[in-house]
Coordinates of all heavy atoms in Angstrom, one line a residue:
Chain R
T91 N 32.7 -103.7 -22.1 CA 34.0 -103.2 -21.7 C 34.6 -102.4 -22.8 O 35.2 -101.3 -22.6 CB 34.9 -104.3 -21.3 OG1 34.3 -105.1 -20.2 CG2 36.2 -103.8 -20.8
G92 N 34.6 -102.9 -24.0 CA 35.2 -102.2 -25.1 C 35.7 -103.2 -26.1 O 35.4 -104.3 -26.2
L93 N 36.6 -102.7 -27.0 CA 37.1 -103.5 -28.1 C 38.6 -103.6 -27.9 O 39.3 -102.7 -27.6 CB 36.8 -102.8 -29.4 CG 35.4 -102.8 -29.9 CD1 35.2 -101.7 -31.0 CD2 34.9 -104.1 -30.3
Q94 N 39.0 -104.8 -28.1 CA 40.4 -105.3 -27.7 C 41.1 -105.7 -29.0 O 40.5 -106.3 -29.9 CB 40.1 -106.5 -26.9 CG 41.3 -107.0 -26.0 CD 40.9 -108.2 -25.3 OE1 40.2 -109.1 -25.8 NE2 41.3 -108.4 -24.0
V95 N 42.4 -105.4 -29.0 CA 43.2 -105.9 -30.2 C 43.4 -107.4 -30.0 O 43.8 -107.9 -29.0 CB 44.6 -105.2 -30.2 CG1 45.4 -105.7 -31.3 CG2 44.4 -103.7 -30.3
T96 N 43.1 -108.2 -31.1 CA 43.3 -109.6 -31.0 C 44.7 -110.0 -31.0 O 45.6 -109.2 -31.4 CB 42.5 -110.3 -32.2 OG1 43.1 -109.9 -33.4 CG2 41.1 -110.0 -32.2
T97 N 45.0 -111.3 -30.7 CA 46.4 -111.7 -30.7 C 46.9 -111.8 -32.1 O 48.1 -111.6 -32.3 CB 46.5 -113.1 -30.0 OG1 45.5 -114.0 -30.5 CG2 46.3 -113.0 -28.5
G98 N 46.1 -112.2 -33.0 CA 46.6 -112.4 -34.4 C 46.7 -111.1 -35.1 O 47.2 -111.1 -36.3
A99 N 46.3 -110.0 -34.5 CA 46.2 -108.7 -35.2 C 47.5 -108.2 -35.7 O 47.6 -107.7 -36.9 CB 45.5 -107.7 -34.3
V100 N 48.6 -108.4 -34.9 CA 49.8 -107.8 -35.3 C 50.3 -108.3 -36.7 O 50.6 -107.6 -37.6 CB 50.9 -108.0 -34.2 CG1 52.3 -107.4 -34.7 CG2 50.5 -107.4 -32.9
R101 N 50.3 -109.6 -36.7 CA 50.8 -110.3 -38.0 C 49.9 -109.8 -39.2 O 50.4 -109.4 -40.2 CB 50.7 -111.8 -37.9 CG 51.9 -112.5 -38.4 CD 51.6 -114.0 -38.6 NE 50.3 -114.2 -39.2 CZ 49.8 -115.4 -39.3 NH1 50.4 -116.5 -38.8 NH2 48.6 -115.5 -39.9
K102 N 48.6 -109.8 -39.0 CA 47.7 -109.4 -40.0 C 47.9 -108.0 -40.5 O 48.0 -107.7 -41.7 CB 46.2 -109.6 -39.5 CG 45.2 -109.6 -40.7 CD 43.9 -110.0 -40.2 CE 43.9 -111.4 -39.4 NZ 42.6 -112.0 -39.3
C103 N 48.1 -107.1 -39.5 CA 48.3 -105.7 -39.8 C 49.7 -105.4 -40.5 O 49.8 -104.6 -41.4 CB 48.1 -104.8 -38.6 SG 46.4 -104.8 -37.9
R104 N 50.7 -106.2 -40.0 CA 52.0 -106.1 -40.6 C 51.9 -106.4 -42.1 O 52.4 -105.7 -43.0 CB 53.0 -107.0 -39.9 CG 53.5 -106.5 -38.6 CD 55.0 -106.1 -38.7 NE 55.3 -105.4 -37.5 CZ 55.7 -106.1 -36.4 NH1 55.8 -107.4 -36.4 NH2 56.1 -105.4 -35.3
K105 N 51.2 -107.5 -42.3 CA 51.0 -108.0 -43.7 C 50.3 -107.0 -44.5 O 50.6 -106.7 -45.7 CB 50.3 -109.4 -43.7 CG 50.9 -110.4 -44.6 CD 50.2 -111.7 -44.5 CE 48.8 -111.7 -45.1 NZ 48.0 -112.9 -44.9
D106 N 49.2 -106.4 -43.9 CA 48.4 -105.4 -44.6 C 49.2 -104.2 -44.9 O 49.0 -103.6 -46.0 CB 47.2 -105.1 -43.8 CG 46.1 -106.1 -44.0 OD1 46.4 -107.2 -44.5 OD2 44.9 -105.9 -43.5
R107 N 50.0 -103.7 -44.0 CA 50.5 -102.4 -44.0 C 51.2 -102.1 -45.4 O 50.9 -101.1 -46.1 CB 51.5 -102.2 -42.9 CG 52.2 -100.8 -43.0 CD 53.0 -100.5 -41.7 NE 53.9 -101.5 -41.3 CZ 54.8 -101.4 -40.3 NH1 54.8 -100.3 -39.6 NH2 55.6 -102.3 -40.0
Q108 N 52.2 -102.9 -45.7 CA 52.9 -102.7 -46.9 C 52.0 -102.7 -48.2 O 52.1 -101.8 -49.0 CB 54.0 -103.7 -47.1 CG 54.9 -103.4 -48.3 CD 56.2 -104.2 -48.3 OE1 56.7 -104.5 -47.3 NE2 56.7 -104.5 -49.5
G109 N 51.0 -103.6 -48.2 CA 50.1 -103.7 -49.3 C 49.3 -102.4 -49.4 O 49.0 -101.9 -50.5
L110 N 48.8 -101.9 -48.3 CA 47.9 -100.7 -48.3 C 48.7 -99.5 -48.8 O 48.2 -98.7 -49.6 CB 47.5 -100.4 -46.9 CG 46.4 -101.4 -46.2 CD1 46.2 -101.1 -44.8 CD2 45.1 -101.3 -47.0
I111 N 49.9 -99.4 -48.4 CA 50.8 -98.2 -48.9 C 51.1 -98.5 -50.4 O 51.0 -97.5 -51.2 CB 52.1 -98.2 -48.0 CG1 51.8 -97.9 -46.6 CG2 53.0 -97.1 -48.6 CD1 51.2 -96.6 -46.2
Q112 N 51.5 -99.7 -50.6 CA 52.0 -100.0 -52.0 C 50.9 -99.7 -53.0 O 51.1 -99.1 -54.1 CB 52.3 -101.5 -52.1 CG 53.0 -101.9 -53.3 CD 53.6 -103.3 -53.2 OE1 53.1 -104.1 -52.4 NE2 54.6 -103.6 -54.0

Side-chain angles (χ1 to χ4, degrees):
Chain R
T91 304
L93 292 162
Q94 199 181 38
V95 178
T96 61
T97 49
V100 178
R101 226 195 40 189
K102 196 169 307 198
C103 292
R104 284 253 171 81
K105 226 178 68 187
D106 280 10
R107 176 168 55 173
Q108 182 162 331
L110 290 171
I111 299 292
Q112 190 169 25

